[in-house]
Amino acid sequence: MTEHLLRIEAVNLDQVLADTDQLSVIRGGGLLALAAVRRLDPEGREPLEIRIDDGAGAHRVELELVSGGASVGLYRYRLPDAQATFANRVVECVSEQLAAAYPHHNFVVDSEPLLDGPDAFHKARERLIARNRLRQLRQPTPVLTQAGDAGPRPCEWDDLRPAAVPQQLKPGADGKPRSAWLSASVHARYQAGREQKQRFLDDTTGLDLAYTEDFETLAGAFPRDRRLQNKLAVLYFDGNHFGKLQAGCASPASLQAFDHQLRTRRILLLRRLLNHLAGSDDAFYTPDEAGAEPRLRFELLLWGGDELLFVVPAWLGLDALCCAYRAMADWTWQDPEARVGTAEREAPTPLTHAGALIFCDRKTPIDRMTQLARDLAEHAVKDAPGGGRDRNLFEYLILESIDFPAEAPTDYLCRRYPALSHRRPLSPVPDAAASIQALAGLRDAGRIPHGPLHEGALRIARGGDCGQSAAAAEALVADLEARAAAAGEAAERDLAQLVDTLARLFAPDEQTAAWRWVHLAELWDYLGPRRAVPAGRGA
């Protein structure tokens, strides 16, 4: 038997993930790409079979998954020595199946024999990637519209392809029915996104929850804290050196072990996160319909490989961030084959993540927020003292309008905080959730005045009459202490607890006192939903 590797990659993904801001279309494009590289049908259920006719009959070829991500699948298969030349037919069969099942996505498929030798697996993978890149260069970037697909106008959601299908939409605010003319590509992804989200999350996590379908319901109708109504928290996590660790796997079995371990931990992370969110009434939206089922305010936009991106309401952003990092705190990897024949056991390699948390308006283009989150996470690990890829770090950004930074994160942060020293990324400390909850309680008690705190943080960040940021921080503390002394013992206790909690949440060896006060002022509204404030007190 001759062993071969086969690599499938969904390419030119901007054509199906970033051509519209319609959430179901983006979701559908990602779910279809994920199903395709896993060689499943568009429903994400049944595997696509490969049968090769050698003249004496059809023979089934079994593809064994070695590694699978959000847009890449690496497989291993075997052919009898007499049929080794049939590898090209396997490539053609897989390509034709994908083109028929997923006509609106672009794929590259290539095969390479897996020879003997210590570096054979690594060399075969590198040749496959080179073949995929060459094949991608030789095919059109967009999927060309078929002659019969042309409609009476451009697609109303991507303004690019010809419209082909009228799609009925939910009634508008005035109760009148609505519809939109969509291209065949957008319509197929829209249908997949609406139909498969619930099933994908149920099948992946084993949970039985209902979910919101759009950002309007995900972030809207939250009378408990209208300051945060219609605001999103976009959370992104990128595995540090995961590609390097995969490249270091010297055999299919080693890479399979890494892929299986990562996929299993991702599933446990998602299940833990959803269970955690579902434990709070603030995480649910109930439609204004008799007998309507409460829906969890959650959207998963990127899943698979070493990246994860999801969206929750702004009032749950910090809580979800802490939950995710708690779930990933003890992740490690140890190559099972690296221990074979060695007397000493190598120490496991920690699996760490660069993270980004963006608070924004629900109408902000989500494709821009996705790219900004990637840039912000990369900024976090690059700008960390001594390098940040060996530990969990994250950055956050608060966008108060639908506008977004046009420059790199480093330039934007320097412009926003001109009087402060270099901003360091944040570490998710073990008790971060408890510290954030404590700060929210102090905020809601109303004895820490937000106005003076915010004004003092502005002077720290942007100069003002205090000059240096350290002096401005000392002036802010002195002002708050004087106000607390005048307000009474309860206010003094609250301020002392606040200072102590800030030092635990933002470690003094990582964040200066000036930065701690700026972080507090910026995140003040996002610490969590406000509870009832006692009469006569303001938060």
Side-chain angles (χ1 to χ4, degrees):
M1 299 290 285
T2 304
E3 198 166 44
H4 298 260
L5 293 179
L6 181 133
R7 190 175 190 270
I8 304 170
E9 183 175 355
V11 295
N12 307 327
L13 287 175
D14 280 355
Q15 299 291 325
V16 291
L17 297 180
D19 59 340
T20 172
D21 284 332
Q22 218 291 334
L23 186 57
S24 292
V25 178
I26 298 171
R27 183 195 308 134
L31 289 175
L32 290 173
L34 179 64
V37 299
R38 296 295 172 94
R39 302 212 60 260
L40 299 174
D41 64 17
E43 298 295 321
R45 293 293 180 93
E46 298 297 326
L48 301 173
E49 290 189 354
I50 301 176
R51 292 186 178 275
I52 305 298
D53 192 344
D54 63 356
H59 297 273
R60 182 176 177 179
V61 178
E62 296 285 351
L63 293 185
E64 177 188 1
L65 181 65
V66 176
S67 176
S71 60
V72 177
L74 181 67
Y75 294 85
R76 175 170 60 175
Y77 66 98
R78 296 172 177 84
L79 292 174
D81 293 337
Q83 297 177 347
T85 57
F86 284 12
N88 288 337
R89 295 195 192 180
V90 174
V91 171
E92 291 173 2
C93 180
V94 173
S95 299
E96 291 170 0
Q97 284 182 335
L98 293 176
Y102 302 92
H104 307 295
H105 285 64
N106 270 327
F107 301 96
V108 289
V109 183
D110 284 285
S111 180
E112 185 72 24
L114 183 56
L115 306 177
D116 294 330
D119 295 329
F121 181 59
H122 173 74
K123 291 178 180 178
R125 288 168 61 197
E126 292 301 312
R127 285 195 293 267
L128 274 177
I129 294 173
R131 288 182 185 276
N132 280 171
R133 295 285 78 80
L134 179 60
R135 191 180 293 272
Q136 181 182 3
L137 291 172
R138 288 175 171 172
Q139 68 184 30
T141 298
V143 176
L144 301 179
T145 302
Q146 300 298 316
D149 288 348
R153 66 194 74 174
C155 174
E156 293 183 33
W157 286 354
D158 71 8
D159 291 320
L160 176 65
R161 303 172 180 88
V165 184
Q167 174 63 49
Q168 293 299 315
L169 307 176
K170 67 179 182 180
D174 56 3
K176 294 182 180 179
R178 299 185 303 139
S179 64
W181 273 91
L182 308 179
S183 66
S185 172
V186 168
H187 181 260
R189 287 178 280 141
Y190 175 74
Q191 293 294 109
R194 288 187 65 83
E195 295 169 2
Q196 293 189 30
K197 174 186 177 179
Q198 182 75 46
R199 184 170 66 239
F200 175 80
L201 289 172
D202 288 350
D203 292 347
T204 301
T205 65
L207 301 178
D208 184 17
L209 296 168
Y211 302 90
T212 52
E213 290 288 346
D214 51 48
F215 287 155
E216 181 180 359
T217 52
L218 185 148
F222 191 61
R224 179 179 168 187
D225 193 345
R226 297 189 184 277
R227 294 177 179 88
L228 301 181
Q229 191 166 277
N230 295 318
K231 292 184 178 181
L232 305 175
V234 179
L235 294 100
Y236 171 79
F237 302 93
D238 183 24
N240 293 319
H241 292 312
F242 282 21
K244 183 178 179 180
L245 292 172
Q246 288 176 313
C249 295
S251 70
S254 177
L255 183 56
Q256 274 181 321
F258 182 87
D259 184 74
H260 174 74
Q261 180 175 304
L262 181 59
R263 196 174 336 121
T264 300
R265 287 178 170 174
R266 284 272 192 261
I267 292 171
L268 292 175
L269 162 65
L270 185 58
R271 184 185 303 158
R272 180 172 175 176
L273 174 65
L274 294 178
N275 268 325
H276 177 76
L277 293 174
S280 170
D281 291 341
D282 295 329
F284 285 92
Y285 164 83
T286 303
D288 293 330
E289 302 169 6
E293 182 181 14
R295 295 180 173 272
L296 188 66
R297 301 173 188 257
F298 179 82
E299 183 64 49
L300 182 65
L301 289 180
L302 187 56
W303 172 261
D306 56 0
E307 292 182 295
L308 173 66
L309 186 142
F310 60 89
V311 183
V312 295
W315 57 88
L316 298 175
L318 285 171
D319 187 42
L321 179 87
C322 294
C323 179
Y325 272 120
R326 281 199 307 272
M328 299 186 293
D330 59 351
W331 286 14
T332 60
W333 159 248
Q334 191 168 38
D335 190 340
E337 295 198 348
R339 303 195 304 269
V340 176
T342 60
E344 295 185 3
R345 183 183 180 92
E346 293 184 3
T349 301
L351 297 179
T352 61
H353 291 76
L357 170 60
I358 300 177
F359 296 103
C360 62
D361 188 272
R362 69 175 178 83
K363 294 184 179 179
T364 308
I366 191 60
D367 61 315
R368 301 295 181 89
M369 292 302 96
T370 300
Q371 186 57 52
L372 180 58
R374 284 191 171 108
D375 294 343
L376 203 58
E378 183 67 15
H379 164 79
V381 294
K382 280 187 174 181
D383 283 25
R389 296 194 185 277
D390 59 344
R391 52 199 168 120
N392 290 320
L393 293 172
F394 71 94
E395 265 288 8
Y396 73 89
L397 206 57
I398 298 174
L399 306 178
E400 296 294 354
S401 69
I402 63 173
D403 293 332
F404 46 85
E407 66 264 59
T410 301
D411 297 333
Y412 174 78
L413 294 173
C414 288
R415 179 169 59 83
R416 182 170 174 82
Y417 309 104
L420 278 169
S421 59
H422 179 73
R423 172 161 156 168
R424 294 183 174 184
L426 302 175
S427 300
V429 296
D431 62 344
S435 295
I436 291 170
Q437 187 176 8
L439 291 176
L442 293 171
R443 175 199 64 188
D444 296 341
R447 290 182 284 267
I448 306 294
H450 179 223
L453 171 62
H454 182 72
E455 291 170 5
L458 279 178
R459 286 194 294 270
I460 293 172
R462 300 176 186 177
D465 54 12
C466 287
Q468 299 297 318
S469 59
E474 292 175 0
L476 171 59
V477 173
D479 179 55
L480 293 177
E481 288 176 342
R483 293 174 183 273
E489 291 184 5
E492 289 182 309
R493 285 196 303 270
D494 281 5
L495 181 59
Q497 184 183 351
L498 180 118
V499 172
D500 180 64
T501 305
L502 278 182
R504 292 199 311 271
L505 185 60
F506 306 115
D509 59 336
E510 295 185 357
Q511 302 290 327
T512 65
W515 270 116
R516 289 201 295 274
W517 288 107
V518 170
H519 289 316
L520 175 64
E522 292 230 310
L523 295 171
W524 187 261
D525 286 337
Y526 299 91
L527 295 170
R530 281 170 166 77
R531 61 176 175 81
V533 178
R537 296 175 184 165

